[in-house]
Amino acid sequence: MESQRTFLIIGLLLVSFLLFQEWNNDYNQPQQPSAQTQQKTQSQQAGQSDVPQSDVDNSLTATAVDRKIIEVTTDVFAVKIDTLGGDIIETKLLKHAETHGSDTPYLLLGEFDGNQYFSQSGLIGLNGPDAQAERPMYDSEKLQYTLNGDTLTVPLTFVDDQGVRFTKTYTFKQGQYDVAMDYNVENTTAAPLQVQLFAQVKRTVQEKGSLIDQSYLGGAYGTDEINYEKYSFSDIEDKQLNKTTQGGYIAFLQHYFVSAWVPNQEQQNTVYMRLITPSVAQIGVKSEPITVAANSTADISATYYMGPKDTDALEAIHPNLDLAVDYGWLWFISQPLLTLLKFLYSFLGNWGLAIIAITIVVKSLLFPLTKAQYTSMAKMRALQPKMQALKERYGDDRQKFGQAMMEMYKKEKVNPMGGCFPLLLQMPIFLALFYVFLESPELRHAEFGLWLTDLSSKDPYYVLPILFGASMFLMQKLQPMTVTDPMQQKMMTWMPVIFSVFFLWFPSGLVLYWLVSNLISIAQMLIIYRGMEKKGMKVRG
């Protein structure tokens, strides 16, 4: 197979991939619900009124009697907790900048661009304080807490009309993004109480990003039967989730970051997702009801993670939560590539150099196939005169021509597919790296040098895409075009330009990988061709 056609195949694969991604983006776009959908949402809520609905306003502009905001600062967090319900209403990630080069921490939870994203938790059930008409107003000894050691506890207390004391305690740990949330119920009455924990995130429905920013935005959950399942906003609108499971978890996923509730894994829990208004979703989990005997206490706990998509940290709090770092169907390639990238970065100290190094590693491993590729293409070019003679001999008799051509290939020991396979093999690696750049927070705002200050975003001056196009053009020149069809000739001529245009918006780290790959391919090509020419085989011109 001619080299030009292999480039065409790769081009079509890339275009198909981008078109599929764009279709997927459009297909999953949340639409404004119709009046019928709103009625359905309201009717579904009627049977689930035990969890606080949209009347709970956690916005910082909301006012309530005796409402206060508690500020908690650790080495990784700046958190605000609302004494109304004891919810986390704002989280800033101190080790992650809002934008590249900014001193402003990344706002994960809170209010931004007209959207709301809060973490809510409480006790419902027959005697739960959050099952009442108004949510409980907690008391706190302090309004400011700072982590000075390994752990920091923030206790909130509420005493109801019956004298039952509810203590809600958040425990923050140094260097960690998971927060323990514990309830202690002290039943001072002469009758048993029944309470039920709920933990959820309340999130404004948002549209997804651009063609290149294809990172998933929406919910996910896991049960004892399903390790990991995405549940997009459109899924919530069509069919609101309600599953009972042993253990389980829920999560909300976005570009590079995730928040997740993991309840007690020894209990029966219910994971749920639903729209509480046409534009606001709840994604949460409820534990099984707990009975607190008269004049006794009981403890209920859950873990809340809010931070970067760190596979080790996520797996530490639930064995399947690391699947939230979603590399798609090429995960088995993406994960080893990221591991290798981290290893190379550990001693190179620069993500750009690590990308160059991993490109060298990949191209070195593929060199035997690359050599076979260029050797096959050279032999195919050498057989062009014989091929033309067969065409003239058999004319329009395609069957005889095909048989004669296969006999010639067998005699000359030429594999017509030898020039195609190595290039096709590189496409999964390329796409796997694409998802690595989308999902791995390590590469967010990763610097290289000079004008490349963020390898996870496009080249601001488009230098790399232009150099890539030039390298692709040079590769074509080193492999003279042998196709005779005018349309194919035009497509091959414009292929470097088409690829360069595509790569204008790709993460610059990904373009760097492909540019270095092309440069290595050019060097390998020259070495291989020079060796073949020394043996008397004409491979160029």
Side-chain angles (χ1 to χ4, degrees), residues 288-355:
E288 61 186 11
I290 302 296
T291 299
V292 186
N295 297 307
S296 66
T297 62
D299 295 308
I300 312 171
S301 62
T303 300
Y304 184 54
Y305 183 93
M306 45 183 179
K309 290 179 177 177
D310 184 322
T311 53
D312 294 335
L314 293 170
E315 189 176 16
I317 61 176
H318 191 284
N320 295 323
L321 191 54
D322 63 315
L323 298 175
V325 187
D326 190 356
Y327 296 119
W329 64 279
L330 290 171
W331 60 269
F332 57 93
I333 301 177
S334 297
Q335 289 180 349
L337 284 177
L338 179 59
T339 300
L340 180 57
L341 263 178
K342 289 180 178 179
F343 171 73
L344 294 171
Y345 175 78
S346 66
F347 62 86
L348 291 176
N350 183 289
W351 285 108
L353 295 178
I355 292 171

Side-chain angles (χ1 to χ4, degrees), residues 399-435:
Q399 182 176 358
K400 290 184 177 181
F401 171 73
Q403 292 175 348
M405 183 175 61
M406 294 307 297
E407 289 177 2
M408 180 184 66
Y409 286 155
K410 184 177 181 179
K411 180 180 178 180
E412 299 292 340
K413 297 180 180 181
V414 174
N415 180 5
M417 296 298 294
C420 181
F421 181 69
L423 284 175
L424 294 181
L425 190 61
Q426 292 186 56
M427 281 305 295
I429 298 174
F430 175 79
L431 297 181
L433 275 176
F434 180 88
Y435 282 106

Side-chain angles (χ1 to χ4, degrees), residues 495-509:
M495 193 64 71
V497 177
I498 295 172
F499 268 69
S500 297
V501 171
F502 276 139
F503 281 13
L504 291 178
W505 294 277
F506 271 61
S508 55

Side-chain angles (χ1 to χ4, degrees), residues 33-246:
S34 63
Q36 275 188 334
T37 302
Q38 296 184 35
Q39 291 174 1
K40 181 176 70 173
T41 300
Q42 293 168 357
S43 65
Q44 288 171 328
Q45 288 176 6
Q48 299 176 327
S49 59
D50 50 349
V51 175
Q53 301 285 319
S54 58
D55 58 338
V56 180
D57 190 356
N58 289 109
S59 64
L60 293 173
T61 57
T63 59
V65 178
D66 298 328
R67 180 191 184 202
K68 297 180 177 63
I69 303 299
I70 302 168
E71 297 183 356
V72 181
T73 305
T74 73
D75 57 328
V76 297
F77 288 135
V79 174
K80 291 183 179 179
I81 301 174
D82 194 344
T83 57
L84 178 61
D87 298 330
I88 297 177
I89 61 172
E90 184 176 285
T91 298
K92 293 181 179 179
L93 305 181
L94 302 182
K95 293 188 176 181
H96 297 267
E98 186 72 35
T99 57
H100 183 264
S102 169
D103 294 329
T104 304
Y106 184 80
L107 181 65
L108 180 63
L109 270 64
E111 298 179 85
F112 44 89
D113 301 328
N115 301 304
Q116 296 182 345
Y117 185 10
F118 303 133
S119 166
Q120 299 176 321
S121 56
L123 296 177
I124 50 179
L126 294 177
N127 306 105
D130 291 276
Q132 310 306 315
E134 295 183 359
R135 298 191 70 198
M137 185 71 70
Y138 286 90
D139 291 323
S140 175
E141 293 181 358
K142 298 188 297 183
L143 294 181
Q144 290 188 337
Y145 290 84
T146 302
L147 175 67
N148 294 316
D150 293 334
T151 61
L152 171 66
T153 58
V154 180
L156 309 172
T157 59
F158 170 74
V159 180
D160 68 10
D161 296 338
Q162 304 299 316
V164 180
R165 176 179 290 271
F166 300 90
T167 303
K168 183 178 187 178
T169 303
Y170 289 103
T171 302
F172 298 85
K173 290 159 281 190
Q174 186 178 30
Q176 294 183 225
Y177 291 94
D178 55 295
V179 180
M181 193 272 293
D182 300 282
Y183 267 103
N184 177 266
V185 182
E186 184 180 351
N187 183 6
T188 58
T189 71
L193 302 177
Q194 188 182 87
V195 295
Q196 184 178 12
L197 174 70
F198 81 91
Q200 64 185 22
V201 294
K202 175 183 173 183
R203 175 70 192 235
T204 302
V205 175
Q206 282 184 277
E207 294 186 353
K208 293 170 68 176
S210 63
L211 171 63
I212 301 305
D213 181 11
Q214 290 293 331
S215 185
Y216 175 73
L217 178 70
Y221 71 95
T223 67
D224 51 3
E225 296 180 349
I226 301 174
N227 291 338
Y228 172 76
E229 184 76 20
K230 291 179 181 178
Y231 215 78
S232 67
F233 290 130
S234 58
D235 292 330
I236 299 173
E237 180 183 341
D238 294 337
K239 184 179 180 181
Q240 305 200 27
L241 178 70
N242 189 53
K243 287 182 179 290
T244 300
T245 176
Q246 177 77 21

Side-chain angles (χ1 to χ4, degrees), residues 517-536:
S517 179
N518 276 1
L519 295 177
I520 295 174
S521 294
I522 291 171
Q524 291 177 339
M525 189 186 306
L526 292 173
I527 293 171
I528 294 170
Y529 284 173
R530 189 175 294 121
M532 296 175 68
E533 288 171 347
K534 287 182 179 180
K535 295 179 180 179

